[in-house]
Amino acid sequence: MLEKVHTSTNLLKSYLCVQLSTDLDNKSKIHKWLKYLALLNIVAVVLYIVYLNNVVIKSFSKPITTEGYTYSYESQPIELINMLLIIEDQAFFKHIGIDFKEILRVIRDHYLYQKPIRGASTITQQLIKNTLLSREQTMSRKLKEAIMATLLELSFEKEYILNRYMNTVYLGQDKGKSINGFANASYYYFSKPIESLSLEEMASLVALLKGPSYFNPDKYPERLRKRTKLVLSLYKKYKKIVN
């Protein structure tokens, strides 16, 4: 009897050893496949970033195609540059294309408070969106915008990016034709070059960035007046960024 029990115990031990060995082998295979999948994901991400980088460099290496007037960075009025930075992107010369604090705020508000995905865009991100992306308000589009903005900053100087924005940003419509850039907007709205504008006139152009249609001076002059007043007061309140 004891002999049978002993034999049965040995058989059970052998079975358990085989099962344990099989389980370990299966786990090893699973770990191996997980490593392969992780590696494939890394490769896919790297290839995607390389692709986006090529798109960014190719697009922003081309000359500006906007019709009308374009200014060099050195020719842009320093008052207009400071006004733009104070209103749109005070950390422009410090960040790498994205503002992490603002992005975290937008993500928090979207997921916790169901607020629309808006704001948090630096001037670099705005330039990417206006040049290469749609206006779709999704997290995936926002992530793509952030990656491309960082790549743009890695490839081009800050002054180049800022000047490109100032020469191409949408500021209104004239009989179905878009008005792009502060220089063209200056001639359209005030019939004079931007270097001849008063501070209030510059402020009205910066105010239009919030929404050229919503603040259309012909249809909604009071809206634009209030926004212009706010822009001018913030410009006078805050320390100038560019000297």
Side-chain angles (χ1 to χ4, degrees):
M1 185 70 179
L2 287 173
E3 207 172 294
K4 286 183 179 181
V5 170
H6 184 67
T7 302
S8 298
T9 302
N10 286 337
L11 287 172
L12 181 60
K13 284 181 179 179
S14 298
Y15 174 77
L16 290 174
C17 285
V18 170
Q19 285 297 107
L20 181 60
S21 178
T22 303
D23 289 344
L24 288 173
D25 189 47
N26 288 335
K27 286 181 179 180
S28 178
K29 287 180 179 178
I30 291 171
H31 287 155
K32 188 177 180 181
W33 278 109
L34 287 175
K35 286 180 181 179
Y36 283 146
L37 286 174
L39 183 59
L40 284 173
N41 283 329
I42 292 170
V43 170
V45 169
V46 170
L47 289 175
Y48 183 61
I49 291 174
V50 169
Y51 163 74
L52 292 181
N53 189 52
N54 289 335
V55 171
V56 167
I57 292 174
K58 183 178 179 181
S59 176
F60 288 96
S61 294
K62 296 177 181 177
I64 295 171
T65 56
T66 301
E67 292 184 15
Y69 301 93
T70 56
Y71 276 51
S72 66
Y73 178 77
E74 292 73 23
S75 300
Q76 301 281 10
I78 196 166
E79 297 85 359
L80 180 60
I81 292 174
N82 278 308
M83 202 176 288
L84 170 64
L85 292 175
I86 287 169
I87 300 303
E88 292 293 319
D89 192 353
Q90 294 187 22
F92 176 74
F93 283 100
K94 297 178 181 178
H95 62 59
I96 59 167
I98 54 178
D99 188 329
F100 288 104
K101 287 183 180 179
E102 281 298 297
I103 288 175
L104 289 174
R105 178 189 63 78
V106 168
I107 293 172
R108 180 202 65 194
D109 290 349
H110 176 66
Y111 286 108
L112 296 183
Y113 309 113
Q114 287 72 54
K115 290 185 179 181
I117 300 172
R118 61 178 59 169
S121 291
T122 64
I123 280 176
T124 313
Q125 286 177 268
Q126 290 180 48
L127 181 59
I128 286 289
K129 179 179 66 177
N130 296 342
T131 308
L132 296 172
L133 301 177
S134 69
R135 296 189 175 274
E136 181 186 14
Q137 296 295 325
T138 62
M139 290 303 297
S140 60
R141 204 275 295 157
K142 201 73 179 173
L143 177 60
K144 188 176 181 180
E145 177 187 293
I147 294 171
M148 296 179 86
T150 304
L151 294 171
L152 179 60
E153 293 258 0
L154 290 172
S155 298
F156 296 91
E157 296 292 331
K158 286 281 189 180
E159 290 79 7
Y160 180 89
I161 295 168
L162 181 56
N163 192 56
R164 187 97 174 191
Y165 176 88
M166 295 181 74
N167 278 314
T168 60
V169 68
Y170 175 74
L171 287 167
Q173 199 87 3
D174 178 25
K175 299 175 183 177
K177 184 180 179 181
S178 65
I179 302 163
N180 295 92
F182 284 101
N184 291 316
S186 178
Y187 276 102
Y188 177 74
Y189 293 110
F190 303 109
S191 301
K192 55 186 175 181
I194 50 176
E195 61 266 26
S196 299
L197 297 180
S198 66
L199 285 178
E200 186 174 354
E201 289 168 336
M202 288 183 186
S204 68
L205 294 183
V206 174
L208 286 171
L209 291 171
K210 186 78 173 175
S213 298
Y214 185 81
F215 292 102
N216 186 300
D218 295 324
K219 295 181 179 179
Y220 312 107
E222 187 58 22
R223 287 180 186 174
L224 181 61
R225 188 191 68 78
K226 289 181 179 179
R227 178 68 182 171
T228 298
K229 186 178 179 180
L230 174 63
V231 170
L232 201 54
S233 66
L234 291 173
Y235 170 75
K236 292 177 179 178
K237 177 181 178 181
Y238 287 100
K239 182 181 178 181
K240 306 305 176 280
I241 297 166
V242 177
N243 298 315

